Amino acid sequence: MTNRLKSMQWAAMRLLLRSVGRLSEGVRIGYRHGFDSGSMLDYVYVDKAHGALGVGRIIDRVYLNAVGWRAIRARRELLKDVLRKEIAERGGDVFVLDVASGPGRYLQDLVEEHRDRSETSLRVECRDLDRAGLAQGKERARERGLEGISYVHGNALDPLPCDRAPDVIVVSGLYELLLDDAVIAASVDRLRGLLAPGGVLVYTTQTHHPQLEFIANVLPNRDGALWVMKCRPVELAEEWAAAAGCTGVTSRRESVGLFTVTTARR
């Protein structure tokens, strides 16, 4: 296919998504907040189709069943499994910091799980640049009666120290949005330095995605530009941690097969 035909194809798909596609609630959220936003991911996590005129709900179901969103839901379950293990092994008073959390729905689930456990006191701080996502998470935490989770506006790539060094730092869904490997390597090094002694850094990597070209030519990100992602081998993700001086670096792949979750210890 020539470049001109390809350009026409992408233009037609953008037009279709902006018109008929907006009958889907998920697509509407994507255009309102960005398809890469925390608000979008929060909607994907719920995985319940909504839309207008009946057909919108069908479109939304197809949208939510896209391989990338299925992989993100699988990534969330793997993250929860990894964090449960890390929290259980520490016991006592555990502090978790997520530097790019969005509304932090899965973190709220973990806080709720540990609310009545006398052997572990869990505190979570959610940070993000998306104020709408933070407000959404804060309101949902209030509705659920969760006191062990807080929401703070902050830059994941320039994180301020906490009032206490975190036992666990989470970076989920951020590094695949960054195109410069050196920026990510610097982030891993900086976050390792924020950890408490014996703490663990947990971060995700997208190793491949069959719809990268479609996404990069059709879907806008939170800044209104087309959403471009970069896939990387898990070996490179582990090299960032090793270069930062981390030990015990290991990775697991979620069940759909697009993402890995890496743990690296200080």
Side-chain angles (χ1 to χ4, degrees), residues 50 68 108 112 129 132 136 159 197 209 231 237 258:
H50 297 276
Q108 290 185 11
E112 190 165 44
L129 285 175
Q136 184 180 351
H209 196 305
C231 295
L258 305 191

Side-chain angles (χ1 to χ4, degrees), residues 39-57:
S39 298
M40 183 74 265
L41 292 187
D42 195 61
Y43 183 77
V44 168
Y45 287 154
V46 176
D47 194 24
K48 187 174 181 180
H50 297 276
L53 304 178
V55 69
R57 191 170 179 178

Side-chain angles (χ1 to χ4, degrees), residues 68-180:
W69 295 142
R70 287 190 283 111
I72 279 176
R73 289 192 290 270
R75 183 185 71 186
R76 173 196 58 183
E77 294 309 309
L78 177 54
L79 268 172
K80 288 170 71 172
D81 185 59
V82 168
L83 292 176
R84 285 189 188 104
K85 177 176 178 291
E86 293 296 335
I87 293 165
E89 286 183 352
R90 282 165 174 76
D93 184 13
V94 181
F95 176 33
V96 176
L97 170 66
D98 189 321
V99 296
S101 67
R105 181 183 294 269
Y106 81 96
L107 294 166
Q108 290 185 11
D109 293 343
L110 289 174
V111 170
E112 190 165 44
E113 287 175 16
H114 288 82
R115 179 157 45 186
D116 299 321
R117 296 186 185 181
S118 58
E119 70 276 12
T120 303
S121 172
L122 178 61
R123 173 189 163 201
V124 175
E125 182 173 308
C126 296
R127 294 186 185 178
D128 207 287
L129 285 175
D130 180 8
R131 294 185 185 275
L134 292 172
Q136 184 180 351
K138 188 174 182 179
E139 176 61 19
R140 186 173 294 118
R142 185 193 65 77
E143 292 172 352
R144 296 175 70 173
L146 300 177
E147 298 180 354
I149 189 165
S150 59
Y151 289 84
V152 178
H153 185 256
N155 187 342
L157 298 180
D158 188 21
L160 296 175
C162 303
D163 57 4
R164 165 190 162 185
D167 302 294
V168 182
I169 295 179
V170 183
V171 192
S172 175
L174 173 65
Y175 289 160
E176 51 263 46
L177 305 181
L178 303 176
L179 304 183
D180 189 337

Side-chain angles (χ1 to χ4, degrees), residues 14-24 27 52 55-56 59:
R14 288 193 295 269
L15 178 61
L16 184 64
L17 202 65
R18 284 185 175 277
S19 54
V20 178
R22 283 180 184 271
L23 295 173
S24 152
V27 173
V55 69
I59 296 170

Side-chain angles (χ1 to χ4, degrees), residues 52 132 146 167 194 215 236:
L146 300 177
D167 302 294
L194 291 180
I215 293 168
L236 177 58

